[in-house]
Each structure stands twice: as C-alpha cells, then as structure tokens.
C-alpha cells in the first residue's frame, strides 16, 4: 500500500519567514492533494497537483509536484499567524476510486 | 464552509454500544468518503460510496458499516464500540476528484 512521509513533523517559524514542507510517496503519484487542518476541525482543501512539474499557487502558498522523485513540496512565503495549523498531503491511489492515503501531517506554528 | 455537513458534532457513548454518524454531501456530489482520524493512526480511509453503490473499501472494521441513500446522504454505523474507536470521523464528498471534507464527528467511547 502507498505510504506518504511528511517532513518535518513540526515546524516553528517567526512571522514573516518562508518555510517548506515536503511530502514523499513510496509509490507513483497519480494525484497529490494538500489540505490544512486546524486542530480537531475539518480539512480545508488547498491545492491539487496532477502532472509532473506542475506548480500551483494560492495567495502566499505554492505547491509543486516532482513526479520523478515522487515528491511534492508546499512553500509558504512571508508566513503569518493565520498560516498556523496542520498541513496534510494526500495521494490518490490511481484508477477510478480516488481513495486518498494521507501523510501524518506537519504541525506549523507561526510566532508573531 | 465546504458545503459538507455532518451530525452530530460530538458523541459520547459506552463500550459495546452502537452509533450512527450522518453525512450530507455538497449539492451535486455523487461520491461520499468516510475517514477516521486518531492520534496514533492519523487519517485513514474507511469506505467510499458513489451514487448509492459501494466503490472502494479501506481499513474498515467488520463492526463498521455504511450506506448511501437515494438522496445521496450517507450514514456510518459503528457497533460493539471499543475504547479504541474513539476518534474523529470525517466524511468528504467529491464530483470531479477533489474531496471536500465535513467538520467531523468526534466520537468518545467510555
């Protein structure tokens, strides 16, 4: 079964700093999703990447997919306290069922 | 707001009991997914329904079952509850691949 490893597990940054979260898959990536979760709450969809080399941005968050490395990175520029939360990557299993396997998550704390 | 609703928000019950969690998908979404999130296991896929039919199964215990009704809402039934079933249960819905998650039901088994 597919496994996703996220690094780092947790991250503390000062407001205004840039940061990167990585997600590496044990198998071929057919689609990679990034979600954000506030503790104990639902997941908020951020971005979906499907093609190798694809890069998407939403406000100050950019995600890239490196198909060859079976890896995706999420980059936040000029972090703000509102960026704090748990970032989860999820990978589609391929085929038509779209069930997602998730990484353990990266806990981001942004200090003002 | 994702458009996916789940009830109840919190549920506290005793071991051995049975509970039903309810999910209403976003308008127009035919697929519903159920996930379990716990501290030790993380977020785990349980089961998917598409337009009333079971489409995929993940790490779902035999004590758990789900169904999707003609109006597309779904219910997850958990029976013979154990302490280890305490977790956040999420449902998600999709129509074109991207899954939108509900706020979750927090189940506490005492």
């Amino acid at each position: 079964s597919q496994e996703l490893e996220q690094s780092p597990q947790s991250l503390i940054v000062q407001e205004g700093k840039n940061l990167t979260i990585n997600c590496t898959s044990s198998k071929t990536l057919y689609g990679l999703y990034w979600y954000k979760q506030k503790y104990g709450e639902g997941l908020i969809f951020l971005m979906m990447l499907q093609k190798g080399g694809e890069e998407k941005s939403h406000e100050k968050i950019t995600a890239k997919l490196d198909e060859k490395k079976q890896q995706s990175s999420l980059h936040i520029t000029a972090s703000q306290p509102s960026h704090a939360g748990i970032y989860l990557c999820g990978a589609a299993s391929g085929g038509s069922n779209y069930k997602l396997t998730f990484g353990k998550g990266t806990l981001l704390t942004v200090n003002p | 707001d994702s458009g996916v609703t789940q009830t109840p928000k919190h549920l506290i019950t005793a071991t051995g009991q049975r509970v039903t969690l309810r999910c209403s998908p976003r308008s127009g979404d035919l697929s519903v997914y159920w996930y379990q999130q716990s501290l030790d296991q993380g977020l785990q896929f349980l089961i998917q329904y598409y337009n009333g039919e079971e489409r995929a199964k993940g790490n779902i215990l035999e004590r758990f079952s789900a169904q999707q009704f003609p109006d597309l809402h779904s219910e997850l039934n958990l029976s013979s509850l154990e302490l280890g079933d305490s977790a956040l249960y999420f449902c998600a819905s999709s129509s074109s691949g991207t899954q939108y998650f509900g706020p979750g039901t927090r189940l506490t088994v005492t």
Side-chain angles (χ1 to χ4, degrees):
Chain A
S1 61
Q2 186 168 30
E3 290 185 2
L4 294 177
E5 186 171 330
Q6 285 187 239
S7 61
Q9 285 186 323
S10 64
L11 193 53
I12 301 174
V13 300
Q14 206 65 33
E15 183 177 358
K17 295 295 186 184
N18 302 336
L19 62 106
T20 299
I21 298 169
N22 292 306
C23 174
T24 303
S25 172
S26 61
K27 293 190 175 181
T28 302
L29 286 168
Y30 292 99
L32 194 289
Y33 298 76
W34 284 101
Y35 289 86
K36 178 185 173 185
Q37 184 182 26
K38 293 284 190 183
Y39 182 76
E41 298 180 9
L43 279 68
I44 300 167
F45 171 73
L46 296 175
M47 274 170 279
M48 176 184 72
L49 304 166
Q50 283 190 302
K51 301 171 189 173
E54 187 171 15
E55 179 175 323
K56 286 188 177 176
S57 293
H58 175 66
E59 297 178 346
K60 292 186 179 179
I61 302 176
T62 300
K64 299 179 188 178
L65 179 62
D66 186 330
E67 206 170 51
K68 287 182 183 175
K69 291 184 180 177
Q70 296 176 178
Q71 186 178 73
S72 177
S73 60
L74 185 85
H75 184 78
I76 299 177
T77 303
S79 59
Q80 300 167 358
S82 61
H83 288 127
I86 302 167
Y87 289 81
L88 290 150
C89 64
S93 62
S96 60
N97 56 13
Y98 295 110
K99 66 177 182 179
L100 294 182
T101 299
F102 283 91
K104 295 283 190 187
T106 295
L107 175 61
L108 173 64
T109 303
V110 181
N111 290 327
Chain B
D1 184 0
S2 67
V4 179
T5 59
Q6 289 187 248
T7 56
K9 194 163 185 175
H10 300 279
L11 201 47
I12 301 174
T13 189
T15 54
Q17 295 298 304
R18 173 190 170 94
V19 296
T20 297
L21 312 184
R22 183 188 168 104
C23 168
S24 292
R26 294 188 319 155
S27 177
D29 285 356
L30 300 178
S31 281
V32 170
Y33 308 77
W34 285 97
Y35 292 86
Q36 179 194 58
Q37 186 178 42
S38 60
L39 281 173
D40 53 344
Q41 296 290 326
L43 192 59
Q44 301 265 316
F45 168 76
L46 295 178
I47 196 163
Q48 178 202 0
Y49 277 82
Y50 177 84
N51 202 21
E53 301 284 330
E54 183 185 302
R55 180 63 68 91
K57 251 183 177 176
N59 303 321
I60 187 165
L61 300 172
E62 284 190 12
R63 300 183 285 110
F64 296 0
S65 64
Q67 52 185 327
Q68 186 179 26
F69 295 87
D71 67 353
L72 300 177
H73 92 270
S74 179
E75 293 181 355
L76 179 67
N77 301 296
L78 314 176
S79 62
S80 304
L81 285 167
E82 302 175 358
L83 295 176
D85 297 328
S86 295
L88 262 171
Y89 290 85
F90 289 106
C91 81
S93 74
S94 75
S95 57
S96 58
T98 298
Q99 294 182 28
Y100 294 90
F101 282 72
T105 293
R106 181 173 292 281
L107 174 66
T108 302
V109 182
T110 62

